[in-house]
Amino acid sequence: MADVKLNHIKKSYGKVDVLHGIDLDIKHGEFVVLVGASGCGKSTLLRLIAGLEEITAGELVIDNKIVNHLDPARRGIAMVFQSYALYPHMSVFKNMAFGLKIAGQNKRAVREKVEQAAKILQIDHLLDRLPRELSGGQRQRVAIGRAIVRDPNVFLFDEPLSNLDAALRVQTRVEIGKLHKDLGATIIYVTHDQVEAMTLGDKIVVMNAGRVEQCGSPLELYRYPQTKFVAGFIGSPKMNFIEGHVDKTATEYLTITLEDGTQVQAHVDTSGIQEGTKVTVGIRPEHLFEGRNLPGQLSGDVKLVEHLGEVTYIYMSLADGTEVVVRGEGESEVEVGDKLQASFAPESVHVFNMDGKALPRIRRSAEIPADNPAIVTASQA
Ligand SMILES: Nc1ncnc2c1ncn2[C@@H]1O[C@H](COP(=O)(O)OP(=O)(O)O)[C@@H](O)[C@H]1O
Ligand SMILES: [Mg+2]
């Protein structure tokens, strides 16, 4: 097992710069999830780590050794792709054994390793089948098995569940989580799925156009996004953004007037912000409540109601036309055409300046992230 360190890694294809200097510190055994819009450089970063492409500048350090020029086969890394990339004419057993055979391991050791991995992944009854005789989920398990038998220091996963249907995704996601616990492996995992990122990651790295936008535990990113980009990326449905300007500043409060004339208070660090400054207010759909009487209020016309069973997403339009989503009760009786009053706490309001930077929210003790070693929860004590 190994620590992985990226020191200002850059990648260019000819004149096109794709990665602009990525710094990351990944601890042994950590599960790190990379998220970001399509084309932001996630797969490129994995390929550089795996050694499938050359690093343009910067250092890749695995276990305190610079490995920029180390042969891919000797980096102790195994990669699992979205497309599975199995050999179609080989049985499951042969697909899983192939890498070990090439490496010259003896037959018995190979059989033992393959059977053990197959058991972990519950595909031990499928070893004689060909890939085309398997479901998508089973194929992906074979691809994961092929990685496991190599006993790598680091697993790289590039959107491994994207080709699976919803139910299998959930099941395989849970299995990958367990696998991480059982193997204690270092995992770097690319996904665009919110739930995968939030549930699997010890740490999430949000990438934006070839740069790291923010890196932290899932709840840290959810509660304290440092930029509007991260705020909009983490959370589903995404955070509502409403334009306004600063009306008054106090020590730990801003009063902001929104475009539709509504005044809201935000519990943020107000140092260095002037009255009159244009800002964007951010409030998550789940922090807006129908029928509660919290200090913050937004009102609008209901344009669309989506009943999902356990929740209802209510789309309302403020007086100035801004669309706002409210996460309502599962059995909400709100209807299209209604006037809706949604209320919220000033503590749940995010504020961004025109450069997209967040004004730091005041941290409440109950919200200090769970990975803060100074905090012991009741169950641990
Ligand atoms: N071999 C290549 N030559 C030129 N440009 C490439 C190559 N591979 C990737 N790119 C470009 O690099 C950018 C990042 O791609 P990629 O890492 O695949 O993004 P992601 O996985 O985040 O969707 C894209 O703009 C893509 O077009
Ligand atoms: Mg990709």
Side-chain angles (χ1 to χ4, degrees):
M1 294 301 144
D3 292 345
V4 179
K5 230 176 139 103
L6 278 64
N7 293 331
H8 225 63
I9 295 275
K10 292 187 183 180
K11 177 66 183 174
S12 308
Y13 293 105
K15 282 199 183 126
V16 183
D17 300 331
V18 173
L19 297 174
H20 304 280
I22 304 280
D23 292 301
L24 271 185
D25 216 337
I26 299 166
K27 296 260 172 303
H28 159 90
E30 211 167 23
F31 198 127
V32 175
V33 176
L34 304 181
V35 297
S38 180
C40 72
K42 305 177 298 291
S43 296
T44 303
L45 190 59
L46 286 195
R47 288 201 302 268
L48 295 183
I49 297 171
L52 302 177
E53 296 200 38
E54 203 164 321
I55 295 169
T56 307
E59 283 173 353
L60 173 64
V61 182
I62 300 179
D63 256 355
N64 300 317
K65 280 198 291 280
I66 298 177
V67 298
N68 288 39
H69 300 292
L70 190 66
D71 189 65
R74 299 182 54 211
R75 292 186 188 192
I77 284 176
M79 188 152 166
V80 177
F81 300 90
Q82 177 181 348
S83 59
Y84 322 136
L86 301 178
Y87 298 108
H89 57 285
M90 286 188 195
S91 68
V92 167
F93 181 90
K94 283 187 175 158
N95 262 287
M96 286 171 68
F98 189 69
L100 299 179
K101 260 189 168 164
I102 296 283
Q105 297 209 7
N106 79 52
K107 262 195 169 159
R108 227 177 100 190
V110 171
R111 176 155 288 280
E112 242 166 51
K113 279 188 185 163
V114 170
E115 283 174 354
Q116 199 191 352
K119 205 176 248 162
I120 295 174
L121 294 162
Q122 297 169 12
I123 48 171
D124 37 346
H125 59 298
L126 303 173
L127 289 173
D128 295 327
R129 293 210 195 160
L130 291 174
R132 69 176 140 82
E133 298 165 332
L134 303 176
S135 71
Q138 291 167 336
R139 283 180 215 171
Q140 191 52 292
R141 277 187 235 183
V142 176
I144 295 170
R146 192 173 49 182
I148 291 176
V149 295
R150 293 181 46 202
D151 195 18
N153 293 324
V154 183
F155 285 88
L156 306 178
F157 286 89
D158 196 350
E159 308 203 26
L161 309 185
S162 302
N163 289 345
L164 307 184
D165 65 43
L168 253 180
R169 273 174 94 132
V170 173
Q171 191 191 338
T172 316
R173 182 187 88 219
V174 172
E175 276 166 18
I176 290 178
K178 278 194 211 141
L179 197 66
H180 174 240
K181 286 210 176 69
D182 293 347
L183 301 177
T186 308
I187 296 182
I188 309 175
Y189 187 104
V190 170
T191 181
H192 57 254
D193 185 288
Q194 284 284 326
V195 182
E196 280 174 39
M198 295 300 280
T199 55
L200 289 173
D202 297 314
K203 192 150 92 186
I204 299 179
V205 178
V206 182
M207 289 178 64
N208 182 14
R211 292 195 168 79
V212 172
E213 186 88 9
Q214 190 176 347
C215 172
S217 71
L219 282 182
E220 174 75 12
L221 296 192
Y222 176 80
R223 289 167 173 161
Y224 303 107
Q226 289 165 359
T227 63
K228 192 177 160 196
F229 182 88
V230 174
F233 207 87
I234 301 289
S236 175
K238 82 189 203 68
M239 186 184 282
N240 296 297
F241 294 120
I242 312 166
E243 303 304 320
H245 67 269
V246 176
D247 218 20
K248 265 199 233 103
T249 64
T251 325
E252 289 193 340
Y253 276 96
L254 285 182
T255 306
I256 296 163
T257 303
L258 304 180
E259 302 267 275
D260 73 349
T262 310
Q263 287 206 327
V264 304
Q265 289 205 318
H267 194 42
V268 296
D269 181 352
T270 60
S271 52
I273 189 101
Q274 314 276 315
E275 290 173 6
T277 311
K278 276 183 176 268
V279 289
T280 303
V281 164
I283 309 176
R284 296 192 183 279
E286 58 271 34
H287 295 151
L288 285 167
F289 299 93
E290 41 162 346
R292 274 199 214 177
N293 200 17
L294 296 166
Q297 302 276 337
L298 288 178
S299 56
D301 297 319
V302 176
K303 299 288 182 191
L304 179 71
V305 179
E306 291 178 335
H307 286 286
L308 270 69
E310 81 279 19
V311 295
T312 304
Y313 293 123
I314 306 162
Y315 296 75
M316 69 173 185
S317 179
L318 306 184
D320 67 315
T322 305
E323 187 177 89
V324 167
V325 184
V326 178
R327 185 189 202 269
E329 307 262 329
E331 298 185 20
S332 168
E333 286 169 6
V334 171
E335 288 178 17
V336 172
D338 286 356
K339 285 242 176 268
L340 182 69
Q341 189 86 11
S343 79
F344 56 92
E347 288 79 8
S348 61
V349 176
H350 299 252
V351 183
F352 307 93
N353 68 20
M354 286 298 107
D355 298 330
K357 293 258 177 311
L359 308 190
R361 294 171 66 218
I362 309 290
R363 289 186 184 239
R364 290 184 290 168
S365 54
E367 269 195 4
I368 289 176
D371 55 9
N372 184 329
I375 306 295
V376 181
T377 61
S379 61
Q380 290 170 303

